[in-house]
Structures are given as C-alpha cells and as structure tokens.
Amino acid sequence: MAAPPPQGKIHLKTSFKSTQTIESIYTGGKVCISQDEQFLITTVGEDIDVIEIKTGKKLWRLKGDTEIITMFAVTPDGHTLVSASRSLLLKTWDLRTGTLVRSLKAHDAPIIVMDIDRSSSLVATGSADGTVKVWDIAGGFCTHNFKGHGGVISAVLFHPDQSKTWLYSGADDCTVRVWDLKTRKALAVLESHVSVIRGLAVTHSGNTLISGSRDKVVNVWDLTTLKLATTYPIYETLETVGILQKGKIQRIGDKDVSDKDMFYTAGDAGVIRIWDLRSGELIAKQKEEQGSKSGISDVLYNTTSQQLVSITSDQNILFFDVENDLKRVKQIVGYNDEIIDVAYIGEEETHLAVAANSEQIRVFNLKEFECDLIYGHTDIVICLDRNTDGTLLASGSKDNTAKVWALDLENEDADERYKCIGSCVGHAEAIGAVALTKKTDGLLLTGSQDRTIKCWDLSTADLDEPDENLRFKSHYTIQAHEKDINTIDIAPNDKVFATGSQDKLAKIWNLQEGTLIGTCKGHKRGVWSVKFSPVDQCLATSSGDRTIKIWSLNDFSCLRTFEGHTNSILKVHFMTSGLQLVSCGSDGLVKLWTIRNNECVTTLDNHTEKIWALAVRKDENMVVTGGADSMINMWEDFTEIEYAEKKAAKADQVLKEQELSNYLARKDWKNAITLALSLEQPFRLLQLFNQIQQDRPEHDTSVTGLEAVDKVLLGLSPDQIAKLLGYVRDWNTHAKNMRAAQTVLNAILRQRKVQEMIEIPGIKDLLDGLLPYSDRHFQRVEALTVRSYVVDYTVQAMDLMSLVGGMDEMEMDDEEGEESEDKSLRAQRKAEEENMAKERHEALAAARAATAHTSTAQQPAAATVAEAAEDAEEEDDSEDDDDDEEDDDKDSDEENEEDSDEDME
C-alpha cells in the first residue's frame, strides 16, 4: 500500500465511514444464554438475535414473520432454537447455520411459555388457549395435547430426571398440574395459590417442586406425595423462581452454604433474593441501585460461572456473581431510547457516556461488549459535558439539577468507577445545557429552561473522598435569554463563553464576571448549538433555520453562512484545526464542511431519524452521532486510507493497462477480454471484438470470429456476463457498433441455457435496454435486404443488355454482309439489264430495217418483237419491284429490332 500523505501539512478530511454501531439488541420478551455461556439470544421485535457475549458481535439474526415473538427456547445441546410468535406459528431454527428448519401451526392462540427437556428432543408449549402440547423437535409433530387448565398457561417445566416422564404446568387459574407423558393423564392438581403462577422449579433430587406466584408467596410441594409441604412469604409480586445447584456454591458472602438447598426469586421490586429452601431464611439480596425504578421480568442461571442474570423491565441485562454476595459484574444495555447527548470520557477516550432519555447515564466500553449505568438523577438526563482530560463528567437533568462525576474507568469494581462529587441545585426548571472549563476544573456553567445561566464553583469538591450530598455554590446567575437556553460552550482560553437560545440569538459573555460582551443576530429560528474555533477568533452556530453561521468575535458580524441541511441543524463542531466543520440535524444526515470555500465535502447517512448528539474524539479520527432512532454511529476517518488506496489503485491501473496492451499485441484474446472487463474499459473491448471480426479466417464456423473467443465468453462468471451485457447494451445504441454488439450477444445467448441467463444479476433491465435498439437494427437490415433486390435486378438487367448488345453486333455484321451481296447482285443485274437493253435496241433496229424493205409482210413480226421487247421490259420492271419490296421489308425489320432494344433498355 502506498504511503499516506505527508504529515507536516494539514490535510482536509474528505471521507468518514461507519465502522461501529451501538443499537438495540433487546426490545422486551424472552432472553436465553447458551449452555456454554458463549452466546446471548434475545428478541428484537419480530426477530431473534444471536450475539457473542464477549465481543458483542452479532452471529445471526433470525428473521421473523412480521409478528412479535412471544416465546422461544434453546435446546441444551445448543444446536436448535424453537420460537413462537403471534402468527401462531411454531418455528424450528438451526443455530449452527442460522436457517429455518420447519414451521407449523401449533395452537389456536399465541404460545406464552415454552420448555425443552434435557434430551433436546421434546418441547412443551403452553398457550393462551388453555392447552399444553408436547412436540417432537426432530420430527415436527405433536406427541401430547393436555387439556384441563381453565385459563392462560403461564408456566411449563419438564422434570429434570429423564427417567421420570413428568410435565408440570401452571396457569392463571391459580393451579399447578402434574402430567404423566406415558399415561397421557394428569397425576395431580396442586391448589394453593390465589394468583397466576409465574415460575416452577424442581430440586436436583427430583423430590421437591417450588412454585412462585404473583400472590407474593412461594409454595414448596412434596413430589412423593404430591402435597403442599410449606409456604414462604416473599412480600413482592414474583415473576420468576429457580433452584441453585447444591454443592456447587460453597459460600455466599461470609455465609457457608455448601450443604444447603437454595432457591432464588425476583419480581417487581427489581432485586434478586436467595433463600434457604428448608428454613425459608433470606441468604443474600442484590444491592438496590439508587434511583432504579425497574422491575425484573426473568432471571437466568449460568451454572458454569455461577451467575444469576436478571432481565429488567427497562431492557437491561445484568450479571451477578452468586458467590460474591450478588455483586454486579457485567451489564448489557438491551435497548437505548432516544439518544439525546453523547460525550467521550476517559483519558484514552475508550468509553462513551450517553444520555438516552432515561434517569441513568449509560457508559459504553467501546472495546468490550459491556455497559455501566450511572444512577443518581431522578428524572431524564438531557445534557452531558466532560473536562479536557476526560476524568470529570457533568450532567444536567429534568430534575432541575446538575451533577458532577469523578471517573475511574480502570477500576475493576463497577461501584467505584463513577462517584458523584456534588450537585448543583438552584434552577427552577430543567437544565438543558452544561459546560466545564477547558484549562482548569474549577467552574461549571449550567443553562436552564428558566432562561438563566448559573456559574458554579467546583473547588470545594473532594476528589479523594467525594461526598455525593455536597452542593456547589453559585458564583453568579444571569437572566441571559428570553426563551429556553439550548447550548453553552466555553472558549479554549476560559475567558469567554457563548450561549444559544430559542430566541434566535447567540450571546458572548465574560466568564469571570458574567457580563454580556456581544450578541450575534441573524438566525431566523432558535439557535441549537454554539462552538468556539480552536484556533481563530470566531464562533460557529447552528439553527433551526437550516443554516450554520460563523461569527467574528471582534465585531460579532457574520463571516460565512453554510446551507445544505433540509431541516434544523442540532449540533456543530470544528475539525481539522478550525478549517472544517461537522454538523448533524433533524434530516438524519451528518455533513462535513470546508470553511474556506463553503463546500460540503461529504454527507454521512446511517440514521433514520433526527440526530441529537454529536461528539468528536480529540485526535479527530472518530466522530460519534446519536439520534432518535436509538442508534449510535461511530464514524472513522478514512481520508488517508482512501488516499493510499487510490494511489495504489492508480498504479495498479497503469500496470494492468500495459498488460492489456501486451495481450492485444500478442493477440492473447482470452486474457485481453478478462482484463478489459476487470479494468472496465468497454471501448477497448469494442475495438477488440471489431478486430477479431475483421481478421476472421476463411471457413471459420465460430460466432465471434475465433473459437478461442467463444470459449472465453462461455467461461465468464455471471457477474462478468452482466458487465459485458451492459457494455453490449451501450454499443447497441449506435448503428456503427451494432455488428459487434449483436455478435457478442449472439455468442452469449447461444452458449447458455435460459436458466443460466435468469441467474445473471440485473438481466431483466439489460434485456429491456437491448430489445428496442435490436428491433430497430433488424428493421433497418430488413429494409436494406428489400432494397438489395433492386440492385440484383439492375445487375441482371445490365447482364441482359450486354447480351443484347452482342446480338446487335452479330446482326450488324449480317446486315453488312447482305449489303455487300446486294451490291454485287445489283451490279450483275445492271450488267444483265444493260445487255438486255442493248439486245432490245439491236432487235428494234433490225426490226425497223426489215420494215423498211418489207413493210407489209414484216408488220406482224415486228409487232411480235415489240411485244416481246415490251414483255421483256415488263419482266425487268417486275423484278425491280420485287427487289424494292425486299429492301423495304429489311428496313422495317431493322426498325422493329431497334424498337425492341429500346424497350429492353
């Protein structure tokens, strides 16, 4: 990995990511701990979470069916979980894989209680319909259906001895029934309670049954006679009872209990008590937490570590060491209500103090899955602040008081980690803002809804031997604003402080004297947060008008205004040596701003409701936000990491591009296609496929142009196919790239079955993008095909014309031959005619001479000769007429042939 940017220069932060969240893991209902005490199983609304107790890592979330989980149980071997919800379904889960094995309808009403036998093969369910059923877990069928109770079943229990197939059930008809699984009948009905049965337990000897009820007593039953042995009054409404292992616990506090049978109880008083089963004597009692108002809904017994785990009504899970006189050793907060304020505490800032809409302050250990509760306030804690080194914590509450706590987070004793060193009493209404001085620990400022600010002197507190009853004295009281005071911040030099109020004003005050120095006017709604710059003489304020303003402390003028949030901005804080701001608001967003250019660098989104709380660690590598969605997000600075990653990615990109060029030069198409896909270079891929098509060998039968490329496309993964189809979709939008796109698409579709194509991610959207353009391309190809017939016709016509032209040449040659033949014939005929004319002249001359001698006798002969001459002349004329007719016929034939040629053209 490349080296981070140089450290001598301040670099602006650009990226934060949520690396850890603290959210609700238990919202009420059943809680189980695995037999090996490694996993905590809790109900979260309609789901079930399986969590590692040591690290807090969520192993599984078993998704519900939109109905609230009413009950679940885990088999002793830890392999199976059986759950029931208001949907009336009984579900079986495999905890090794977190998968649902079976689901079936069990009762006609919701299942209220459940128990699994020691063999992990049977589960008993008690329902609101008054029936008790036993189910085979592996087979998923009902083996027993017991009816007899007159009300809702409130407790079921298998006998711990597997040889004794008894089942116990209690209901709100105030009776306990004993069922025999072999005979399928009720052995006894135990009547003594006058209220609903809430707990059943059997001693390890198997001879005694105890039952706890809301009638504030525990009954002890002799199972050999099935009669009531004794009754112990507990004096509290009981929710659970249980038996402790005899002989496993030697001492509880300073009492020897090695030979005693003991049971525990818990209820609405919120404490666990351990009793002697034989005498009813109270052996141990959990220490009551000051200010705690919660009861206990259930108690779990960890037999390996000998711990009792109480599930409180305010969704906390508390671990108590039985041998250490029920001392609390661990605590898990199951549900955080609306997060109002947060603050890093401890010298190393390893813990986070949280005000979560309750009387207790919650302190989360960020390294381990553990949380402490600080008791002291009697009403909801609203605001928190810490001193510079994180050893003091101040809190303000709706009980009109503020308290200061000394912190010793490394102390193994949970009771010694947080000590109240004094209280600030004097305000008439709830305290909405507190601030401790930065350089010294001498002063505390409090702002209240009574519109006053008080300055308290903390110098009278004794940190070595703190007195929680100590009341600090007030230096001065200021009537500061006309409406509720929302925020206070003290300058880094401890000389001035700023306040923000619902009256739309931010005011600057002298810390020592309490006098007003200046007022910052400009916001259109109430001011929710004020913060001094760590380096400059300026103040940042955030308001309900959705803006952040920076004010000059010299003339109290507004220097800059930041806009970007869509709702009230509730917190603001300086970062990066005063060069940046981080803010959060009611829009559920966290924004990082650069002051120099008024730019929002990044927006962080992992909350679903308004964000009330914001805290920045001293090294500024972590930002914590908490909101009304009961979630705490820890945003880690990833600027340097992303810088190094981008640098390394850029170097890797250069190397891969060089490799791609080498593959293309070597025509190594397989590696070239794979590498181009990984580099996300569609243009190089397009060039590659075009080149392959241009270089297609003769007699090639492949789709793309090379068999090797077809094999490469066949071997691509579904994700690679999805990416390639995305490129094909883009190529297909241009006619010039249509051929390559359709060729690749053909290769992909031809080599795969429909089921394989369905598994490709996003295939529907890809095909929706391919179909319209493909139809358009095919329509254009079809139109070109139709137009190509005209070309074919033209070519054929041209061929015909060339053929006709050859025939014309032949005819012209024939005509020329005929003309030369006619000329010789005519010359011959002319010569013959001349000879015949000569002969006729000679004959006429001879005839005239004869006439002169014999005029009378020779007249007939002359006439005859004349007639013969005339006949000869008529024959010559007829022959000339025939020749002229033949010439006219030839001329007409030539004209007809020329007309036919023009028609052909």
Side-chain angles (χ1 to χ4, degrees):
M1 182 177 290
Q7 299 298 319
K9 182 180 177 182
I10 297 176
H11 290 269
L12 299 179
K13 301 181 184 301
T14 58
S15 176
F16 283 84
K17 293 182 181 179
S18 179
T19 56
Q20 184 180 355
T21 59
I22 299 175
E23 55 187 331
S24 299
I25 62 169
Y26 172 57
T27 58
K30 183 64 176 175
V31 175
C32 282
I33 294 178
S34 61
Q35 196 78 13
D36 56 5
E37 302 181 12
Q38 298 296 315
F39 302 105
L40 175 71
I41 302 103
T42 62
T43 53
V44 184
E46 63 192 40
D47 303 325
I48 299 174
D49 281 355
V50 182
I51 304 166
E52 289 184 359
I53 293 180
K54 185 176 181 180
T55 63
K57 180 182 178 182
K58 187 183 297 183
L59 186 64
W60 308 113
R61 167 157 282 192
L62 310 180
K63 288 290 184 180
D65 50 12
T66 71
E67 295 289 345
I68 294 177
I69 300 294
T70 57
M71 180 56 61
F72 69 84
V74 179
T75 55
D77 59 14
H79 296 164
T80 306
L81 182 143
V82 182
S83 67
S85 69
R86 289 184 179 176
S87 64
L88 310 183
L89 294 178
L90 187 68
K91 295 185 177 182
T92 304
W93 305 83
D94 188 344
L95 289 180
R96 291 167 292 187
T97 60
T99 57
L100 178 65
V101 177
R102 186 181 297 105
S103 178
L104 54 91
K105 184 177 179 181
H107 289 265
D108 295 331
I111 294 174
I112 307 300
V113 289
M114 190 182 298
D115 188 44
I116 297 178
D117 73 336
R118 297 291 180 89
S119 66
S120 300
S121 59
L122 299 177
V123 56
T125 58
S127 169
D129 60 8
T131 63
V132 177
K133 293 184 179 181
V134 181
W135 306 82
D136 185 284
I137 296 176
F141 55 87
C142 180
T143 60
H144 301 77
N145 186 4
F146 297 117
K147 299 180 180 179
H149 282 290
V152 176
I153 307 299
S154 57
V156 292
L157 178 70
F158 279 103
H159 197 283
D161 188 356
Q162 297 185 32
S163 62
K164 204 168 189 178
T165 57
W166 285 8
L167 176 68
Y168 308 94
S169 63
D172 61 2
D173 61 1
C174 310
T175 64
V176 177
R177 292 178 179 263
V178 183
W179 310 91
D180 191 340
L181 298 182
K182 290 183 178 179
T183 61
R184 302 174 182 269
K185 294 182 180 180
L187 297 178
V189 179
L190 310 180
E191 298 179 335
S192 176
H193 289 288
V194 294
S195 186
V196 58
I197 311 298
R198 292 297 300 145
L200 298 172
V202 177
T203 59
H204 296 281
S205 64
N207 297 325
T208 303
L209 169 72
I210 65 171
S211 59
S213 170
R214 288 180 178 170
D215 57 8
K216 303 182 180 181
V217 299
V218 171
N219 285 330
V220 181
W221 307 86
D222 187 351
L223 293 181
T224 58
T225 61
L226 296 176
K227 299 293 183 181
L228 179 64
T230 185
T231 299
Y232 296 128
I234 306 300
Y235 303 110
E236 73 167 317
T237 301
L238 296 180
E239 295 296 329
T240 182
V241 297
I243 299 290
L244 296 179
Q245 288 182 340
K246 184 178 181 180
K248 295 285 186 179
I249 305 171
Q250 301 299 320
R251 303 185 66 85
I252 298 180
D254 56 356
K255 298 179 180 179
D256 184 5
V257 294
S258 57
D259 59 346
K260 290 185 177 181
D261 290 319
M262 296 174 290
F263 69 94
Y264 59 85
T265 63
D268 61 354
V271 296
I272 300 175
R273 294 181 175 89
I274 299 177
W275 308 82
D276 188 339
L277 182 61
R278 301 305 173 194
S279 64
E281 175 189 359
L282 179 63
I283 298 176
K285 177 184 176 182
Q286 167 200 338
K287 180 182 177 182
E288 296 185 28
E289 301 288 355
Q290 181 182 0
S292 176
K293 301 177 182 178
S294 61
I296 295 177
S297 60
D298 196 8
V299 174
L300 309 176
Y301 180 31
N302 290 340
T303 57
T304 303
S305 60
Q306 294 301 319
Q307 292 178 346
L308 291 176
V309 183
S310 67
I311 314 301
T312 65
S313 58
D314 56 359
Q315 291 85 43
N316 292 327
I317 304 170
L318 311 178
F319 292 74
F320 298 93
D321 187 356
V322 175
E323 296 180 337
N324 197 13
D325 204 14
L326 291 179
K327 188 175 184 63
R328 178 163 54 87
V329 294
K330 186 180 180 66
Q331 180 166 300
I332 298 173
V333 174
Y335 177 73
N336 290 315
D337 205 343
E338 191 169 351
I339 307 299
I340 302 174
D341 203 0
V342 295
Y344 275 106
I345 58 175
E347 296 181 3
E348 302 297 328
E349 295 183 326
T350 56
H351 292 66
L352 188 69
V354 178
N357 205 27
S358 66
E359 300 89 350
Q360 300 87 29
I361 303 171
R362 306 178 181 211
V363 180
F364 289 92
N365 187 337
L366 300 180
K367 294 183 178 180
E368 299 179 5
F369 185 51
E370 188 174 355
C371 176
D372 292 328
L373 294 182
I374 302 178
Y375 295 89
H377 286 286
T378 58
D379 208 337
I380 295 174
V381 177
I382 300 176
C383 51
L384 300 170
D385 192 30
R386 44 158 268 184
N387 63 347
T388 304
D389 60 5
T391 58
L392 288 181
L393 176 68
S395 59
S397 169
K398 282 187 176 181
D399 60 9
N400 305 342
T401 66
K403 292 182 179 293
V404 182
W405 310 84
L407 308 177
D408 184 11
L409 300 177
E410 301 302 323
N411 198 315
E412 295 182 358
D413 188 350
D415 295 333
E416 300 297 325
R417 294 174 188 165
Y418 318 98
K419 291 292 185 179
C420 180
I421 63 173
S423 302
C424 304
V425 181
H427 283 289
E429 294 188 39
I431 296 176
V434 293
L436 288 165
T437 50
K438 302 291 192 298
K439 288 189 174 182
T440 62
D441 298 331
L443 297 176
L444 170 68
L445 294 175
T446 58
S448 169
Q449 293 179 4
D450 61 9
R451 305 168 190 174
T452 63
I453 296 173
K454 290 181 178 288
C455 179
W456 307 87
D457 183 9
L458 305 183
S459 60
T460 58
D462 187 355
L463 298 179
D464 295 328
E465 296 181 1
D467 181 10
E468 63 180 7
N469 296 319
L470 175 66
R471 291 192 176 185
F472 298 117
K473 293 182 179 181
S474 173
H475 272 315
Y476 53 78
T477 300
I478 308 170
Q479 185 70 29
H481 289 271
E482 296 179 358
K483 291 186 178 181
D484 296 354
I485 298 173
N486 295 328
T487 177
I488 299 176
D489 189 48
I490 300 176
N493 58 9
D494 285 348
K495 291 183 179 180
V496 297
F497 69 93
T499 60
S501 168
Q502 288 297 107
D503 62 5
K504 309 176 188 178
L505 300 178
K507 295 184 178 182
I508 315 297
W509 308 82
N510 183 285
L511 180 61
Q512 297 299 327
E513 300 175 1
T515 56
L516 180 64
I517 299 175
T519 302
C520 301
K521 298 180 181 180
H523 283 294
K524 298 179 181 179
R525 292 192 178 181
V527 177
W528 282 106
S529 178
V530 295
K531 205 70 179 177
F532 283 98
S533 170
V535 293
D536 296 322
Q537 296 292 318
C538 61
L539 175 75
T541 61
S542 65
S543 168
D545 62 6
R546 297 174 292 183
T547 64
I548 301 171
K549 291 182 181 292
I550 295 182
W551 309 84
S552 171
L553 295 182
N554 297 322
D555 56 4
F556 310 107
S557 62
C558 180
L559 302 177
R560 290 187 184 275
T561 300
F562 300 85
E563 296 180 354
H565 282 280
T566 58
N567 213 324
S568 300
I569 304 176
L570 303 176
K571 287 283 185 179
V572 67
H573 203 288
F574 279 95
M575 294 186 69
T576 324
S577 299
L579 298 177
Q580 291 182 295
L581 290 171
V582 60
S583 63
C584 62
S586 296
D587 54 6
L589 301 176
V590 182
K591 288 182 178 290
L592 181 65
W593 310 82
T594 299
I595 296 176
R596 180 176 301 172
N597 54 15
N598 278 47
E599 179 187 359
C600 178
V601 178
T602 184
T603 299
L604 312 177
D605 184 7
N606 201 31
H607 286 277
T608 57
E609 295 189 35
K610 63 178 64 177
I611 304 174
W612 286 108
L614 172 70
V616 180
R617 209 166 65 182
K618 284 190 293 186
D619 59 8
E620 297 185 349
N621 286 329
M622 192 75 72
V623 176
V624 173
T625 57
D629 54 2
S630 305
M631 179 182 289
I632 300 173
N633 273 296
M634 299 177 191
W635 309 90
E636 186 176 352
D637 181 14
F638 272 75
T639 303
E640 293 185 1
I641 296 176
E642 286 194 355
Y643 174 83
E645 289 178 350
K646 288 180 180 179
K647 192 171 182 180
K650 187 175 181 180
D652 187 56
Q653 182 85 1
V654 172
L655 291 176
K656 288 185 176 180
E657 288 182 355
Q658 183 60 46
E659 289 181 7
L660 179 59
S661 300
N662 295 338
Y663 290 145
L664 292 174
R666 296 197 301 264
K667 295 187 177 182
D668 186 353
W669 308 121
K670 177 179 179 181
N671 290 324
I673 292 174
T674 306
L675 189 56
L677 281 173
S678 65
L679 290 176
E680 297 183 353
Q681 293 188 354
F683 182 71
R684 300 289 290 274
L685 270 177
L686 179 61
Q687 290 180 322
L688 186 150
F689 286 120
N690 285 332
Q691 184 67 34
I692 293 173
Q693 289 179 1
Q694 292 175 5
D695 298 340
R696 179 190 288 268
E698 293 184 4
H699 310 296
D700 181 73
T701 59
S702 64
V703 179
T704 59
L706 282 176
E707 289 289 344
V709 176
D710 290 356
K711 292 180 180 179
V712 172
L713 296 180
L714 178 61
L716 294 179
S717 66
D719 290 335
Q720 290 176 322
I721 290 293
K723 184 182 294 185
L724 183 56
L725 285 177
Y727 298 156
V728 170
R729 177 190 58 193
D730 297 337
W731 300 339
N732 201 43
T733 58
H734 299 282
K736 65 179 182 179
N737 301 328
M738 177 267 293
R739 183 182 177 189
Q742 293 296 325
T743 302
V744 176
L745 182 61
N746 183 18
I748 293 174
L749 297 179
R750 178 174 291 185
Q751 296 174 338
R752 284 171 174 78
K753 298 180 181 179
V754 176
Q755 293 299 328
E756 295 179 5
M757 296 300 299
I758 292 175
E759 296 175 357
I760 295 175
I763 185 63
K764 183 179 182 300
D765 294 335
L766 293 171
L767 293 180
D768 289 343
L770 282 165
L771 286 175
Y773 286 98
S774 296
D775 289 340
R776 186 180 301 176
H777 296 323
F778 282 117
Q779 290 174 5
R780 184 168 59 253
V781 170
E782 186 176 358
L784 289 173
T785 303
V786 173
R787 292 171 60 185
S788 69
Y789 293 135
V790 178
V791 177
D792 292 341
Y793 174 77
T794 304
V795 172
Q796 292 177 2
M798 293 173 65
D799 293 341
L800 183 60
M801 289 177 62
S802 63
L803 179 62
V804 172
M807 294 175 63
D808 291 341
E809 290 178 358
M810 293 174 63
E811 289 178 355
M812 291 177 65
D813 293 339
D814 293 340
E815 289 177 356
E816 292 176 355
E818 290 177 356
E819 288 179 357
S820 60
E821 183 179 356
D822 290 342
K823 288 180 178 179
S824 61
L825 289 174
R826 287 176 182 176
Q828 184 179 357
R829 286 178 181 177
K830 188 175 182 181
E832 290 178 353
E833 288 175 354
E834 290 177 354
N835 293 330
M836 290 177 68
K838 186 177 180 180
E839 289 178 354
R840 282 197 298 268
H841 288 302
E842 290 177 355
L844 286 173
R848 288 188 188 101
T851 303
H853 294 284
T854 58
S855 58
T856 306
Q858 290 182 348
Q859 285 181 351
T864 304
V865 174
E867 292 177 356
E870 291 175 359
D871 291 339
E873 289 178 356
E874 290 177 359
E875 289 178 359
D876 295 335
D877 293 337
S878 64
E879 290 177 357
D880 294 335
D881 293 337
D882 292 337
D883 294 335
D884 294 336
E885 288 178 358
E886 289 177 1
D887 294 336
D888 293 337
D889 292 338
K890 290 181 179 179
D891 293 337
S892 64
D893 291 340
E894 291 175 358
E895 290 176 357
N896 292 333
E897 288 177 356
E898 290 176 357
D899 293 339
S900 64
D901 292 342
E902 291 177 357
D903 292 338
M904 289 293 290
E905 291 177 357

CSV table of all heavy atoms in Angstrom, one decimal, residues 795-805 904:
chain,number,residue,atom,x,y,z
A,795,VAL,N,-28.4,-5.4,-61.8
A,795,VAL,CA,-27.3,-6.2,-62.3
A,795,VAL,C,-27.7,-7.2,-63.4
A,795,VAL,O,-27.1,-7.4,-64.4
A,795,VAL,CB,-26.6,-7.0,-61.1
A,795,VAL,CG1,-25.6,-8.0,-61.6
A,795,VAL,CG2,-26.0,-6.0,-60.2
A,796,GLN,N,-28.9,-7.8,-63.1
A,796,GLN,CA,-29.4,-8.8,-64.1
A,796,GLN,C,-29.8,-8.0,-65.4
A,796,GLN,O,-29.5,-8.5,-66.6
A,796,GLN,CB,-30.7,-9.5,-63.6
A,796,GLN,CG,-30.4,-10.4,-62.5
A,796,GLN,CD,-31.6,-11.0,-61.9
A,796,GLN,OE1,-32.7,-10.8,-62.4
A,796,GLN,NE2,-31.5,-11.9,-60.9
A,797,ALA,N,-30.4,-6.8,-65.3
A,797,ALA,CA,-30.7,-6.1,-66.5
A,797,ALA,C,-29.4,-5.7,-67.3
A,797,ALA,O,-29.4,-5.7,-68.5
A,797,ALA,CB,-31.5,-4.8,-66.1
A,798,MET,N,-28.4,-5.3,-66.5
A,798,MET,CA,-27.1,-5.0,-67.2
A,798,MET,C,-26.6,-6.2,-67.9
A,798,MET,O,-26.0,-6.1,-69.0
A,798,MET,CB,-26.1,-4.4,-66.2
A,798,MET,CG,-26.5,-3.1,-65.6
A,798,MET,SD,-25.4,-2.6,-64.2
A,798,MET,CE,-23.9,-2.4,-65.1
A,799,ASP,N,-26.7,-7.4,-67.3
A,799,ASP,CA,-26.2,-8.6,-68.0
A,799,ASP,C,-27.0,-8.8,-69.2
A,799,ASP,O,-26.5,-9.2,-70.3
A,799,ASP,CB,-26.3,-9.8,-67.0
A,799,ASP,CG,-25.4,-9.7,-65.9
A,799,ASP,OD1,-24.4,-8.9,-66.0
A,799,ASP,OD2,-25.6,-10.4,-64.8
A,800,LEU,N,-28.3,-8.6,-69.2
A,800,LEU,CA,-29.2,-8.8,-70.4
A,800,LEU,C,-28.8,-7.8,-71.5
A,800,LEU,O,-28.8,-8.1,-72.7
A,800,LEU,CB,-30.6,-8.6,-69.9
A,800,LEU,CG,-31.7,-8.9,-71.0
A,800,LEU,CD1,-31.5,-10.3,-71.6
A,800,LEU,CD2,-33.1,-8.6,-70.5
A,801,MET,N,-28.5,-6.6,-71.1
A,801,MET,CA,-28.1,-5.6,-72.1
A,801,MET,C,-26.9,-5.9,-72.8
A,801,MET,O,-26.7,-5.8,-74.0
A,801,MET,CB,-28.0,-4.2,-71.4
A,801,MET,CG,-29.3,-3.6,-71.0
A,801,MET,SD,-29.0,-2.0,-70.1
A,801,MET,CE,-28.3,-1.1,-71.4
A,802,SER,N,-25.9,-6.4,-72.0
A,802,SER,CA,-24.7,-6.9,-72.6
A,802,SER,C,-24.9,-8.0,-73.6
A,802,SER,O,-24.3,-8.1,-74.7
A,802,SER,CB,-23.7,-7.3,-71.6
A,802,SER,OG,-24.1,-8.4,-70.8
A,803,LEU,N,-25.8,-8.9,-73.2
A,803,LEU,CA,-26.2,-10.0,-74.1
A,803,LEU,C,-26.8,-9.5,-75.4
A,803,LEU,O,-26.5,-9.9,-76.5
A,803,LEU,CB,-27.1,-11.0,-73.4
A,803,LEU,CG,-27.6,-12.2,-74.2
A,803,LEU,CD1,-26.4,-13.0,-74.7
A,803,LEU,CD2,-28.5,-13.0,-73.4
A,804,VAL,N,-27.8,-8.5,-75.2
A,804,VAL,CA,-28.5,-8.0,-76.4
A,804,VAL,C,-27.5,-7.2,-77.3
A,804,VAL,O,-27.5,-7.2,-78.5
A,804,VAL,CB,-29.6,-7.1,-75.9
A,804,VAL,CG1,-30.2,-6.3,-77.1
A,804,VAL,CG2,-30.7,-7.9,-75.2
A,805,GLY,N,-26.6,-6.5,-76.7
A,805,GLY,CA,-25.5,-5.8,-77.4
A,805,GLY,C,-24.7,-6.7,-78.3
A,805,GLY,O,-24.4,-6.4,-79.5
A,904,MET,N,-36.2,-3.0,-74.2
A,904,MET,CA,-35.4,-3.8,-73.2
A,904,MET,C,-34.6,-2.8,-72.3
A,904,MET,O,-34.5,-3.1,-71.1
A,904,MET,CB,-34.4,-4.7,-74.0
A,904,MET,CG,-35.1,-5.8,-74.7
A,904,MET,SD,-35.8,-7.0,-73.6
A,904,MET,CE,-34.3,-7.7,-72.9
